[in-house]
Amino acid sequence: MSGPVIYWRDRILAFTPGESVAHALTRAGIAAFGPGPVGVPRAVFCGIGQCQMCLVQIDGRTVEACLTLCRDGLRVGPEQEINHD
Amino acid sequence: MTKAQVLVVGAGLAGVGAAVELARAGQPVLVADRAPRAGGAIHRQPLPGRAAISSHAARWDRLIAEAQALPIDWAFETKFAGLDHTGTALLSGATNRLMRPAALVLALGAREAVRPRTGWTLPNVTTAGALQIELKTQGLAPQGRVLLAGNGPLLIAVAAQMTRLGNPPVAIVESAAPFAHPLHSLALPLSYLREAAGYMATLIRARVPILTRAEVVAIRAEGTALSVRVETPKGPRVFTVDRVGLHDGIRKNDGGVTACAAVPVLALGDCAEVLGARAALASGRAGGIALARALTNGTPRETVPSTTLVRERAAQQRLARIYAHDAMARLADLPGGTVICRCEGGTLDDLRALGPTPRVRELRLLGRFGMGPCQGRSCGEWVARASADDPGLPPPDTPLGRARWPLAPIAIADLIAATSDTGAAPLPSEGT
Amino acid sequence: MDDLGRYDAIVLGAGVIGASTAWHLVQAGLSVALVDAEGPAAAASGASDGAVSVASKKPGPLARLATASLLYTRNLAADGPLMHGYHPRPTYIFGSGPAEGAAIDALIAKLDALGDAVRLRRDGAADLLPGTGASVERLVELTGEGHMPGYVAVAGYLRDPRIVKIWPARVRGLEETDAGVIVDLGTRRLHASRVIAALGVSTTTLFPQMPVIPRAGQLFVTDRGAPGALPGALTSAAYLLAKTTDMTALPRPPVVIDPLSTGQYLIGSTREDHADPGRVDFATLQKLMTRAAETWPALRNRRVIRAFAGVRAAVSDGLPIVGLAPGSTRVTLATGFEGDGICLSAVIGREVARMAADEAPTPALSGDLAALAPTRFTALQEGAA
Ligand SMILES: Cc1cc2nc3c(=O)[nH]c(=O)nc-3n(C[C@H](O)[C@H](O)[C@H](O)COP(=O)(O)OP(=O)(O)OC[C@H]3O[C@@H](n4cnc5c(N)ncnc54)[C@H](O)[C@@H]3O)c2cc1C
Ligand code: FES
């Protein structure tokens, strides 16, 4: 892949500059962002940062995928997985 | 000392409208928005190089040109956490700052309501608004087979926009019977009729089925697809689709921010009263002018009686009548395992276990409703309706207690990094 | 006005003290009504942390009563009403700088004198608990203490169906006669031979002569994460100082980091002389979180999702008020537990129930309970007059 990319687990996804992580994942067919802490799956719902359902981990921090813009080389993972440090 | 800024939260029509008027009157203004660009719900801007979808682009272009000609500071990708009793506001994200604004303008926009249904928490089930945002930023229709369901004119708008971009939805499932009220409809302002007629023409041409008095009763995952069971007056139907967009109306959304002695707070646009785009801009401008006058002269803020607001209020009331339905009662029939509070996973059974008329403390402490990151801003309505005798009645304003800051979760790393220009006093009387 | 009923005892206030007292009274076979203006755990008990901790108590009566209460709480948690409420876990006390170091030394001496309910397990530096930040110079681990959210304890006691629950009902006044006490609820009246007032910070509305002072504390809650990363509470030695001295400026912010069973962290707290639970501020949040994240750096990756303040009922001389109201033979006060009520509730409920049933207090505690008698203030006033 020549353009800028983000990583989701072992997948490499191209993105358009200015695009949110949520949209890059959605376009790649990734709708399920992993299990949430209480059994409600993590996935986009409101799309505007209100519902807190689209949480993912980036650089060890929990962020809303729908509010976070893609940057080249960003490593994105499910909210629950990265805590095992 | 430099003059304190007015903090405007929200860069939609109301927020930018207010910021323009404040800046024009010489007030220093900071506009913060969690989104990466100005635009808000209606004028959500496309990715660079993509086509704009919004139907009133000229209105926005004029406003933003006005704003750009004025000295306004912007903080995007920045969340407003709230205003505390000392008059300090916290911004976090791309900008991390504790500040003491001269005044606070809340222009947070509306909140989309989605009534719980079986399967509503599955991936690929989103709000219709989320689909529209995707469409507006990408300049493309959401891909795959899409079903739109719920209640209100937004469903028709999203459907038409998708259709024009080449991927009409499989169907629209509408709780009400909006076409059964031609007289009400004709009394709507011409601009509404024109816009609606445009959408309808598109949908009819593309033969998008609109099922009225119909309800999505269950969504199930079937492989990578979704199987959606719909009840219609003519009997049940099942749709197999890739995505579902749900929408049950729009609610005001002031986040529970209250004024404090030090800082006047003004809520403008849809977050104060859901009246749509025209009213939001009018309310933003009028609010900005009144606030600037109050800040300059120390005169009290007078509410300007606006003909736009009066007209839009009447139109919204008509729309509400056209889209009235009794599907709220279905809340009572949902299976006990249905999730009501998405944050904490609280189900209808969890709610019922608290007894017939649970008090706020019990709902919160024992049921954990309102204890998650949204603090009940999303689920409060459903908790209240589901525990009321008549779920159709409007719920109380704060069914889970007064919402408190933070309006959105505060990343601790951001908080620690925040600069402070408040001259904050040390911890009050600690250790005594 | 309706007469609603007669009870052997009426308990006013369904906080953790009132709930425990009511539960102990029905175990003794008394008929009991529990009255609250709002509902269970509506005030301090529903807005507190829940450390069941001897380490944080003032030496003297409070530390000894807390020790007894800790042991008794363990019993009630084994197969009693606190079965789902109490969780044992280690306590870590940390400090930086000489003042906090000295506070830790004093703590160790205090625990030595109290027997072995709570024991010093290890005494060292940050490396004693993996994950602790480098700013921590001294760290001790204690075993024997635990955690019990106040509202869970209240719910546990109230599960006993013999307690007649009356709320929302605000007590307007009490009238003591030769035959008993009349509790005036505005629209109706209750009768009892004994009344126990466990009204927390509202005590002064019915007993204005009691020097009960509101003392607010701010608390902050993070989002969920994997539970168990931090095995017990991390308490700054400054917090001990804040509870035991009159210092107006502490060496470091008095922070407590408490891991909850949900995988959330609860971080507190301040001691502020006012009664307004709406006063929660960003400057305090930033200050407490800065020290909390220095101490437990994993917090840097968390988010604060909730902020609130609870209002503790403090007493001018720093000791709770437990015993017959001055001039009364039927009304017992149990209030003024400030930041220690969850911890003390088990033993206080038991002992107050004994008082109300005209039984002598548990012998080992009688001296310490006597120190809490409300008459200490009337004596003072007479002396001053
Ligand atoms: C921030 C904070 C942290 C704390 N952390 C801890 C801790 O870690 N460990 C610990 O042991 N303790 C802790 N505490 C202290 C503990 O919460 C209190 O000591 C305890 O809850 C007091 O219980 P209570 O029953 O006396 O009072 P409350 O819980 O305040 O109960 C009083 C009740 O009386 C009712 N009432 C008031 N007026 C009337 C009326 N006129 N008629 C009827 N009802 C009325 C109220 O509605 C309320 O339900 C903390 C407190 C705070 C604020
Ligand atoms: S989808 Fe709701 S917060 Fe991102």
Side-chain angles (χ1 to χ4, degrees):
Chain A
M1 237 172 265
S2 54
V5 296
I6 62 168
Y7 302 89
W8 167 260
R9 293 176 150 164
D10 48 6
R11 289 186 60 180
I12 305 177
L13 315 177
F15 69 86
T16 312
E19 192 172 27
S20 71
V21 168
H23 285 165
L25 292 171
T26 303
R27 282 196 303 104
I30 299 160
F33 300 170
V38 296
V40 179
R42 288 302 187 215
V44 172
F45 185 62
C46 74
I48 55 169
Q50 235 162 30
C51 72
Q52 298 294 311
M53 288 297 113
C54 67
L55 301 178
V56 292
Q57 286 270 346
I58 294 177
D59 294 335
R61 284 172 63 172
T62 303
V63 296
E64 299 91 344
C66 71
L67 290 182
T68 309
L69 298 190
C70 292
R71 273 182 289 111
D72 195 19
L74 215 60
R75 291 188 180 277
V76 185
E79 182 198 1
Q80 294 289 295
E81 259 177 27
I82 319 250
N83 276 325
H84 56 212
D85 41 4
Chain B
M1 208 177 105
T2 53
K3 208 164 143 195
Q5 287 172 311
V6 176
L7 175 59
V8 176
V9 185
L13 282 167
V16 178
V20 160
E21 297 303 337
L22 283 158
R24 207 198 309 283
Q27 293 293 333
V29 185
L30 172 66
V31 182
D33 198 305
R34 58 189 171 193
R37 285 171 290 272
I42 182 102
H43 294 293
R44 170 82 43 164
Q45 295 301 294
L47 294 175
R50 302 276 173 87
I53 305 300
S54 137
S55 41
H56 301 277
R59 167 177 63 199
W60 178 254
D61 292 345
R62 267 197 311 276
L63 179 63
I64 210 70
E66 259 183 275
Q68 274 156 2
L70 288 161
I72 295 173
D73 286 337
W74 304 89
F76 291 109
E77 295 177 71
T78 296
K79 289 194 233 172
F80 166 70
L83 180 74
D84 70 20
H85 71 276
T86 71
T88 298
L90 172 64
L91 299 177
S92 73
T95 299
N96 292 303
R97 187 170 161 200
L98 283 159
M99 66 182 290
R100 196 156 287 179
L104 173 64
V105 173
L106 294 172
L108 310 169
R111 188 171 56 74
E112 218 179 342
V114 174
R115 174 159 45 88
R117 294 168 172 82
T118 301
W120 73 311
T121 61
L122 286 168
N124 278 324
V125 179
T126 67
T127 66
L131 289 176
Q132 194 182 40
I133 282 163
E134 189 181 326
L135 173 152
K136 285 180 176 174
T137 42
Q138 300 285 333
L140 302 167
Q143 294 307 291
R145 296 159 293 176
V146 180
L147 182 79
L148 296 171
N151 174 238
L154 181 85
L155 293 173
I156 306 259
V158 177
Q161 287 164 338
M162 286 181 62
T163 305
R164 286 170 195 163
L165 289 168
N167 186 26
V170 171
I172 299 172
V173 177
E174 166 60 58
S175 299
F179 312 122
H181 309 281
L183 286 179
H184 278 318
S185 307
L186 284 174
L188 284 169
L190 199 58
S191 55
Y192 279 66
L193 291 177
R194 212 178 281 136
E195 190 164 342
Y199 291 149
M200 286 309 294
T202 303
L203 295 177
I204 291 166
R205 225 175 297 128
R207 296 176 201 281
V208 175
I210 305 180
L211 313 177
T212 58
R213 291 203 177 93
E215 276 300 316
V216 164
V217 289
I219 308 171
R220 274 187 308 114
E222 222 167 58
T224 57
L226 297 167
S227 164
V228 186
R229 205 151 60 76
V230 176
E231 270 175 19
T232 77
K234 292 186 197 144
R237 295 192 48 181
V238 175
F239 293 89
T240 303
V241 296
D242 302 299
R243 303 179 68 176
V244 177
L246 298 175
H247 173 86
D248 291 296
I250 295 187
R251 308 282 189 264
K252 67 177 186 167
N253 178 35
D254 64 11
V257 180
T258 46
C260 69
V263 177
V265 176
L266 190 56
L268 300 174
D270 268 8
C271 84
E273 183 179 4
V274 179
L275 296 177
R278 284 175 209 89
L281 181 54
S283 134
R285 284 196 189 272
I289 292 170
L291 180 59
R293 199 173 296 142
L295 289 170
T296 323
N297 309 337
T299 50
R301 226 167 44 224
E302 52 193 289
T303 25
V304 195
S306 152
T307 48
T308 311
L309 259 71
V310 172
R311 194 183 55 226
E312 298 300 318
R313 198 169 287 141
Q316 289 296 327
Q317 279 159 5
R318 278 192 200 286
L319 269 179
R321 254 173 272 146
I322 293 169
Y323 276 97
H325 64 87
D326 52 14
M328 287 296 176
R330 289 176 178 269
L331 270 175
D333 305 330
L334 283 173
T338 311
V339 168
I340 301 290
C341 154
R342 290 171 158 258
C343 294
E344 288 289 296
T347 62
L348 261 184
D349 277 344
D350 295 332
L351 181 59
R352 288 171 185 150
L354 298 174
T357 47
R359 311 183 61 75
V360 170
R361 278 275 166 156
E362 293 164 288
L363 286 168
R364 294 178 62 92
L365 296 177
L366 302 178
R368 295 196 66 79
F369 293 100
M371 298 291 268
C374 92
Q375 292 197 70
R377 291 183 179 93
S378 306
C379 67
E381 172 175 358
W382 312 118
V383 169
R385 285 187 190 270
S387 37
D389 292 334
D390 179 358
L393 293 177
D397 252 3
T398 54
L400 291 171
R402 193 169 57 84
R404 300 175 273 217
W405 67 258
L407 269 76
I410 305 165
I412 293 175
D414 289 347
L415 168 77
I416 293 171
T419 58
S420 172
D421 47 17
T422 61
L427 276 188
S429 60
E430 68 188 7
T432 55
Chain C
M1 200 182 296
D2 292 346
D3 278 4
L4 203 77
R6 288 171 192 281
Y7 302 89
D8 295 330
I10 295 174
V11 181
L12 311 179
V16 71
I17 299 291
S20 170
T21 304
W23 185 85
H24 281 92
L25 285 165
V26 295
Q27 307 316 303
L30 275 67
S31 65
V32 178
L34 178 60
V35 181
D36 198 288
E38 292 182 46
S45 303
S48 56
D49 190 1
V52 180
S53 163
V54 170
S56 63
K57 301 296 168 283
K58 266 187 210 150
L62 271 184
R64 287 191 294 270
L65 286 167
T67 308
S69 201
L70 169 65
L71 295 171
Y72 184 44
T73 299
R74 287 189 204 151
N75 285 345
L76 294 182
D79 54 359
L82 301 179
M83 210 151 68
H84 305 289
Y86 175 78
H87 298 283
R89 55 157 204 207
T91 308
Y92 299 91
I93 313 276
F94 68 92
S96 308
E100 286 195 317
I104 292 177
D105 291 334
L107 165 70
I108 294 170
K110 176 182 84 179
L111 290 177
D112 262 353
L114 285 170
D116 60 1
V118 177
R119 274 198 292 216
L120 176 72
R121 186 154 167 266
R122 293 187 292 166
D123 186 349
D127 57 356
L128 188 146
L129 176 65
T132 308
S135 71
V136 169
E137 291 168 10
R138 174 97 177 267
L139 185 66
V140 297
E141 179 182 342
L142 312 178
T143 56
E145 302 193 330
H147 191 251
M148 176 166 75
Y151 62 88
V152 183
V154 170
Y157 288 124
L158 296 190
R159 229 165 267 137
D160 194 312
R162 290 170 294 179
I163 303 172
V164 177
K165 293 139 193 137
I166 301 179
W167 48 70
R170 188 170 293 278
V171 180
R172 304 295 161 91
L174 300 176
E175 194 187 316
E176 204 166 327
T177 67
D178 288 345
V181 188
I182 299 168
V183 177
D184 175 5
L185 299 181
T187 52
R188 47 200 177 154
R189 300 161 16 125
L190 307 176
H191 303 258
S193 49
R194 301 298 289 257
V195 164
I196 296 92
L199 297 168
V201 75
S202 304
T203 299
T204 48
T205 57
L206 291 181
F207 304 93
Q209 72 276 30
M210 287 295 118
V212 175
I213 322 153
R215 189 156 291 162
Q218 304 186 31
L219 290 170
F220 305 99
V221 183
T222 72
D223 52 3
R224 290 173 180 257
L230 174 59
L234 256 172
T235 302
S236 66
Y239 197 75
L240 310 181
L241 292 172
K243 280 200 171 192
T244 53
T245 70
D246 270 346
M247 293 182 64
T248 45
L250 292 170
R252 310 290 317 272
V255 70
V256 177
I257 306 166
D258 225 323
L260 304 179
S261 57
T262 50
Q264 295 172 289
Y265 291 99
L266 187 137
I267 289 138
S269 181
T270 53
R271 306 165 83 72
E272 304 168 34
D273 287 332
H274 61 80
D276 182 358
R279 283 163 72 170
V280 184
D281 68 281
F282 290 120
T284 298
L285 171 69
Q286 191 184 39
K287 191 165 168 176
L288 287 182
M289 280 304 163
T290 302
R291 186 166 199 208
E294 267 171 25
T295 308
W296 191 247
L299 279 171
R300 288 186 64 84
N301 292 338
R302 293 300 193 92
R303 310 185 306 160
V304 175
I305 65 161
R306 204 146 45 79
F308 59 98
V311 181
R312 313 170 182 95
V315 181
S316 56
D317 65 359
L319 284 179
I321 300 174
V322 180
L324 277 180
S328 167
T329 55
R330 297 181 179 275
V331 179
T332 303
L333 301 180
T335 183
F337 297 95
E338 199 172 348
D340 303 325
I342 312 285
C343 171
L344 295 171
S345 57
V347 139
I348 294 295
R350 183 185 74 196
E351 297 303 321
V352 170
R354 296 176 74 104
M355 292 178 198
D358 289 324
E359 288 172 35
T362 303
L365 301 177
S366 60
D368 291 327
L369 287 167
L372 310 184
T375 45
R376 69 187 191 268
F377 302 110
T378 44
L380 217 87
Q381 277 158 15
E382 278 158 21

